[in-house]
Amino acid sequence: MKPLIAGNWKMNGLSNAIAEVEALIAKFDGSAPDDRDVLICPPTTLVAQFAAAFSDEAIQIGGQDCHVNVSGAHTGDVSAQMLADVGAAFVIVGHSERRADHAETNELVQAKATAALKAGLTPIICVGETEAERKAGHALDVVGEQLKGSLPETRDEFVIAYEPVWAIGTGLTPTNDDIAEVHAFISGFAPDGVRILYGGSVKPSNAVEILAIKNVDGALVGGASLKADDFYPIVMAAPSN
Ligand code: 13P
């Protein structure tokens, strides 16, 4: 499977941050290697600008969330169709920060993933346990429940990201064995061809090791995706298959 290395910029980046993407592309000598997919999900305000600027490059642009409806009276929301209209190819749904900050349920995440597919976007559906859930030995149960509730019912192309909540932005990561265990478990739920990304404190220093784990088909990178100097070695750390 072709690895996917995705950067989730979260609520970071003004219009001048395009310089970081240009710097990344410069490191690739113009276009990213075609044996891996490279994706940047900037804040919504930058999606159109980035997608227009990089439409010829081997870098794709995605959103970080979408509404379940195509349009309507939903102040402040953005639909999947709107993201697709300005050139996005992917959208993250069900990130733990949205599940926590906006009380998003599995049912809502599933509806968002379905809306994304209808708009022609590839949803990246996030799952992952909290620290307390892992300590109690419930990581696989929690991830299993999230998958059952959040995955779209269609067999269209989608991506799953395993992001343990306690590993996000903390510098902590599960052991390689724990990552392998959860990814093997997730692959039992996923139709063939679905890529399973790992996310949570992926850095240049641990990317080679993590991306070599069985059933890890890429990474969803937060903080280390903001700077080309950090993101480039992570992109290049993915083994080519
Ligand atoms: P960090 O890489 O900053 O830990 O964030 C991971 C994440 O939440 C990506 O979606």
Side-chain angles (χ1 to χ4, degrees):
M1 233 171 324
K2 200 174 180 181
L4 169 63
I5 309 297
N8 173 10
W9 280 19
K10 308 190 180 184
M11 199 172 73
N12 296 289
L14 303 177
S15 51
N16 62 6
I18 199 167
E20 285 301 328
V21 190
E22 287 162 353
L24 180 69
I25 290 170
K27 287 177 189 288
F28 294 140
D29 276 341
S31 83
D34 57 15
D35 61 354
R36 62 208 60 217
D37 288 330
V38 184
L39 168 68
I40 292 181
C41 300
T44 311
T45 47
L46 301 182
V47 169
Q49 180 197 5
F50 283 17
F54 305 115
S55 61
D56 297 337
E57 325 280 349
I59 276 197
Q60 304 190 75
I61 301 300
Q64 298 176 10
D65 177 51
C66 65
H67 196 274
V68 298
N69 292 345
V70 167
S71 61
H74 305 288
T75 303
D77 281 315
V78 169
S79 74
Q81 193 188 47
M82 290 168 173
L83 293 170
D85 181 51
V86 295
F90 288 78
V91 63
I92 299 168
V93 295
H95 192 281
S96 60
E97 287 151 15
R98 293 212 55 95
R99 289 178 186 263
D101 295 354
H102 300 274
E104 293 197 0
T105 60
N106 289 328
E107 196 184 9
L108 183 69
V109 174
Q110 184 188 51
K112 289 184 174 198
T114 305
L117 289 167
K118 276 199 192 130
L121 299 178
T122 302
I124 300 176
I125 302 151
C126 301
V127 296
E129 81 286 358
T130 63
E131 185 178 22
E133 288 161 345
R134 174 154 287 273
K135 284 197 170 140
H138 296 150
L140 294 185
D141 293 341
V142 169
V143 168
E145 281 306 305
Q146 289 174 333
L147 291 170
K148 272 188 225 146
S150 310
L151 296 188
E153 276 156 4
T154 61
R155 297 260 133 182
D156 296 286
E157 186 192 346
F158 58 87
V159 175
I160 298 171
Y162 169 55
E163 297 206 310
V165 177
W166 53 274
I168 294 176
T170 58
L172 303 172
T173 51
T175 63
N176 293 351
D177 285 350
D178 285 343
I179 294 175
E181 182 187 37
V182 179
H183 277 245
F185 175 75
I186 294 174
S187 71
F189 278 83
D192 285 350
V194 166
R195 290 181 284 193
I196 307 169
L197 313 184
Y198 169 78
S201 295
V202 176
K203 308 283 176 215
S205 55
N206 61 18
V208 169
E209 205 183 326
I210 291 173
L211 288 163
I213 298 170
K214 194 161 183 267
N215 294 312
V216 173
D217 307 310
L220 183 54
V221 185
S225 69
L226 293 170
K227 293 277 168 230
D229 284 347
D230 294 328
F231 196 45
Y232 175 74
I234 298 174
V235 170
M236 299 315 287
S240 57
N241 294 314

